[in-house]
Amino acid sequence: MTKSTNKTDLRIQRTQKAIVDAFYELLDEKAFSAITVIDICDRALINRGTFYTHFEDKYQLLDKCISDIMYGLHEQVKKAHGENDLITYYNEVMSLGINFLAGHRRRIKTIIVKADSALVFDKVHEILTHNIINRLSKARPKEGKGKLPADILAEFFAGGIISLIKWWLLEEPNYTLDDIQKQLSILAETTLSEYCA
């Protein structure tokens, strides 16, 4: 890669970061529906042509913001050790995931509340459900257990986790990150114990 290409790539990254940062700032001030491309351009100190070089419209920009969060979450969750037993593995997944979400709490809350977008949690639910079904299909239930189908257990477990984390992130109840992780660990053990031979 040439120096010229590197400079161009950095310029693109800086411009996109300026657009995203401006978008989040505006979302802190008003609803997504009230934000215009001109608002974003004025805040990012760019012209409309530059905006449209990077994004088709504000909806594609919102999609990018959600995709960035999902990519970061996915990268964190990949760090969980797949060879661990089921409960230990999910404790790691939940710890890595909730730490990431808590670290990006403000932006996630802004997207959900101001952009009225539940897409972040819908995507987390989809990934988690798929992951649980995949893991349970490889696990051997305890003798006399495992009558609950993996897809039902996965939907129930993923839905509960998502609902609890969403409530904690958005409502900000008086529970620390450590409190939530401990409670999720207890729930994981209770819910998935029949698959831990």
Side-chain angles (χ1 to χ4, degrees), residues 60-75:
Q60 188 182 42
L61 174 55
L62 176 61
D63 287 345
K64 184 211 180 335
C65 292
I66 292 169
S67 294
D68 286 350
I69 291 168
M70 294 314 305
Y71 177 78
L73 178 62
H74 182 68
E75 288 302 299

Side-chain angles (χ1 to χ4, degrees), residues 14-185:
R14 277 196 296 269
T15 303
Q16 285 189 354
K17 183 181 183 320
I19 293 169
V20 167
D21 289 347
F23 180 58
Y24 275 114
E25 285 176 20
L26 288 162
L27 278 174
D28 280 338
E29 298 167 15
K30 52 188 172 180
F32 176 73
S33 59
I35 297 171
T36 66
V37 169
I38 293 171
D39 292 334
I40 297 166
C41 293
D42 288 347
R43 186 65 59 99
L45 303 174
I46 59 168
N47 61 46
R48 285 176 65 195
T50 301
F51 178 90
Y52 289 117
T53 299
H54 297 276
F55 301 101
E56 289 176 16
D57 51 29
K58 68 178 186 177
Y59 298 97
Q60 188 182 42
L61 174 55
L62 176 61
D63 287 345
K64 184 211 180 335
C65 292
I66 292 169
S67 294
D68 286 350
I69 291 168
M70 294 314 305
Y71 177 78
L73 178 62
H74 182 68
E75 288 302 299
Q76 284 302 305
V77 169
K78 275 179 16 185
K79 295 176 183 176
H81 299 291
E83 69 275 0
N84 288 337
D85 68 82
L86 203 59
I87 300 298
T88 305
Y89 172 73
Y90 278 109
N91 281 334
E92 283 184 40
V93 166
M94 288 184 297
S95 177
L96 290 163
I98 199 168
N99 274 297
F100 176 84
L101 293 172
H104 296 82
R105 180 184 220 148
R106 185 165 181 231
R107 285 195 165 187
I108 291 168
K109 187 172 181 175
T110 298
I111 283 178
I112 292 166
V113 174
K114 296 294 183 81
D116 193 26
S117 178
L119 291 175
V120 172
F121 287 109
D122 289 348
K123 195 67 182 164
V124 172
H125 184 273
E126 180 186 316
I127 291 166
L128 193 53
T129 303
H130 177 77
N131 181 287
I132 293 167
I133 290 170
N134 187 41
R135 291 287 299 198
L136 291 182
S137 69
K138 296 173 185 166
R140 231 176 51 223
K142 288 180 181 175
E143 198 169 323
K145 301 273 188 173
K147 294 193 169 124
L148 194 60
D151 55 349
I152 289 177
L153 183 56
E155 285 292 335
F156 177 79
F157 185 56
I161 290 171
I162 299 303
S163 188
L164 180 64
I165 291 172
K166 186 176 179 180
W167 169 73
W168 181 71
L169 287 172
L170 298 182
E171 301 298 323
E172 300 186 30
N174 196 24
Y175 293 102
T176 66
L177 180 61
D178 194 45
D179 292 335
I180 294 297
Q181 286 177 331
K182 283 177 185 168
Q183 297 309 312
L184 280 172
S185 180

